[in-house]
Amino acid sequence: MDLPIEHLATFAAIVEQGSFEGAARQLHITPSAVSQRVRAMEQRIGAVLLRRSRPVEVTEAGTAVLRAARQVERIAGDLAAELGQGSTGGSLIPIVVNADSLATWFVPALARAARETGARFEVIRADETLSTDHLRRGAAMAAVTATREPVPGCTVARLGVDRYRAVASPAFAAQHFPDGPGVEALRGATMIEFDRHDIFQQRFLRRISRSGIVPPRHYVPSSSEFALAVELGMGWGMLPALQCADALAEGRLVEVSPGTVIELPLYWQRWNLSSPVLDALSAIVAEEAGAALG
């Protein structure tokens, strides 16, 4: 199938900018030229690639084209850098990362990768159980994920284990768990969840008891604000050991069930593409994760 490189670049620009007009501005061509290139691709492939919404939505057929477009873009950027005709930072590298990793160990890894490779990164925040969807759609080139099975077209490597502890403020624990986290105590104690995809509090409840426990809850969809809400006594919640270690040591938080740990193995999935930038990024992420997660 013959898809000109400029058509693939146009397709990637549309998705990145969210509209035909935005892609036209980025590429310094007219919106009409953008539309013509998309129509030409759709005619050659025989399928609609984009839903003309705001922002545009990629169809199932379009996901394969987007993945190819970004792979070609990455290869072209690597080649230009190797030939001394451009920098590795010519195009964004989209990465999916869960909020807790972002709040603890991942940003230092990313900063190091930016310094050492000169690349630019777009971080997409997504739950670790949902991150592989972005890889399948071609919306990301790599992801921190809880999924061990590789997405088609990707390789996978184990990063380590993130360990979560059930914590609360001392006052909250004294009020709700004076005799420990029994079933009735947990049923009445407000808990905090990140969002409706959050699984850690439920895993802890199942660890304590097989009976169905449905406590009242708050939702706080930000890692730092989640930790702050727990510390301010809004409820109990599961925090990564990396995130709550100082607060526990200083007495601002206490463990609801000392010694009970919920483990989350993390993996690095990336496109199976020979790329110096992706290779360097992957090596740095693995090294930083190994030091932080063990």
Side-chain angles (χ1 to χ4, degrees), residues 3-267:
L3 291 177
I5 290 178
E6 63 269 20
H7 288 193
L8 291 171
T10 300
F11 191 81
I14 293 169
V15 176
E16 180 180 331
Q17 296 296 324
S19 68
F20 285 43
E21 294 79 8
R25 288 192 296 270
Q26 177 179 316
L27 299 172
H28 305 292
I29 59 177
T30 66
S32 176
V34 171
S35 296
Q36 289 172 10
R37 291 178 182 182
V38 173
R39 280 199 300 271
M41 285 194 293
E42 290 178 332
Q43 289 170 357
R44 293 183 183 187
I45 293 171
V48 174
L49 303 178
L50 290 169
R51 297 185 185 92
R52 274 63 166 177
S53 56
R54 286 192 176 273
V56 295
E57 295 181 7
V58 181
T59 65
E60 185 176 352
T63 60
V65 174
L66 178 60
R67 186 164 54 249
R70 285 186 162 156
Q71 288 176 345
V72 169
E73 187 177 57
R74 183 69 266 144
I75 292 170
D78 290 338
L79 177 61
E82 187 174 346
L83 296 176
Q85 297 178 359
S87 70
T88 56
S91 61
L92 285 171
I93 297 178
I95 308 168
V96 185
V97 187
N98 61 309
D100 288 336
S101 293
L102 276 175
T104 52
W105 63 271
F106 190 82
V107 172
L110 197 64
R112 177 184 163 192
R115 289 194 304 271
E116 294 184 13
T117 68
R120 296 182 299 123
F121 302 101
E122 176 184 4
V123 176
I124 303 167
R125 193 185 71 180
D127 185 89
E128 63 279 348
T129 61
L130 305 174
S131 53
T132 53
D133 292 342
H134 293 269
L135 290 173
R136 290 189 181 92
R137 297 200 312 269
M141 296 183 188
V144 175
T145 176
T147 304
R148 181 174 57 187
E149 296 74 22
V151 170
C154 292
T155 62
V156 61
R158 193 173 189 272
L159 292 175
V161 178
D162 212 349
R163 295 170 175 85
Y164 287 72
R165 301 182 184 277
V167 296
S169 70
F172 186 94
Q175 177 183 353
H176 294 279
F177 307 121
D179 301 315
V183 172
E184 291 306 315
L186 285 167
R187 187 170 284 127
T190 301
M191 73 179 185
I192 304 177
E193 293 190 317
F194 187 86
D195 57 24
R196 296 180 189 275
H197 300 293
D198 190 353
I199 61 172
F200 292 105
Q201 286 70 220
Q202 301 300 326
R203 288 180 61 185
F204 174 79
L205 293 175
R206 288 195 296 272
R207 178 76 62 86
I208 296 297
S209 172
R210 294 293 180 182
S211 62
I213 302 175
V214 185
R217 68 198 67 190
H218 300 291
Y219 294 98
V220 182
S222 169
S223 284
S224 58
E225 282 73 17
F226 182 104
L228 179 60
V230 173
E231 190 171 328
L232 293 176
M234 285 181 63
W236 68 272
M238 304 296 295
L239 286 177
L242 289 171
Q243 190 175 16
C244 65
D246 289 344
L248 286 171
E250 296 166 6
R252 292 181 283 116
L253 291 174
V254 296
E255 288 195 64
V256 171
S257 178
T260 300
V261 175
I262 301 297
E263 294 189 341
L264 177 69
L266 291 176
Y267 301 88

